[in-house]
Amino acid sequence: MAVEIVDLCVNCWACVDVCPSDAISEGKPHMLVNAKKCTECEGDYADPQCASICPIESAILDASGLAINPPGSLTGIPPERLQHTMNEIQAR
Ligand code: SF4
Ligand code: SF4
């Protein structure tokens, strides 16, 4: 079981040094998790350390493919409110 970093990643490198398994490395076009090395931090930490430090919502998925930090979890902006505002901006 492993987490996955997806294309929302902005390559800030924050997750690289906190991984206890040295499972994250630079990839193209974004950081990648080596699924053979990732332990989901089990035995080391209560929570996946990469997701705990990642500043981008939905950039890291759990083994089920679900965002560990879903929309609104870090910004506090409800997803529907964000979409409404984006629609307003795009209509200008
Ligand atoms: S879940 Fe833990 S072991 Fe897996 S990549 Fe993230 S920090 Fe590393
Ligand atoms: S902390 Fe998040 S945004 Fe930063 S490199 Fe890691 S996955 Fe990408």
Side-chain angles (χ1 to χ4, degrees):
M1 302 295 271
V3 304
E4 180 186 3
I5 296 175
V6 297
D7 59 5
L8 291 167
C9 167
V10 295
N11 289 320
C12 73
W13 286 78
C15 57
V16 175
D17 287 340
V18 298
C19 176
S21 306
D22 200 20
I24 305 172
S25 59
E26 191 174 17
K28 294 289 179 192
H30 54 74
M31 293 295 167
L32 295 172
V33 174
N34 182 334
K36 290 181 183 161
K37 285 186 168 184
C38 175
T39 59
E40 297 188 52
C41 288
E42 278 185 27
D44 289 302
Y45 297 97
D47 301 302
Q49 294 301 284
C50 51
S52 293
I53 202 167
C54 180
I56 307 298
E57 292 171 344
S58 305
I60 303 180
L61 310 182
D62 67 16
S64 308
L66 298 174
I68 300 174
N69 298 317
S73 62
L74 302 180
T75 61
I77 303 171
E80 57 277 10
R81 177 66 190 154
L82 184 62
Q83 189 59 51
H84 179 74
T85 304
M86 291 304 291
N87 291 343
E88 278 188 353
I89 291 170
Q90 283 162 4
R92 285 178 192 164

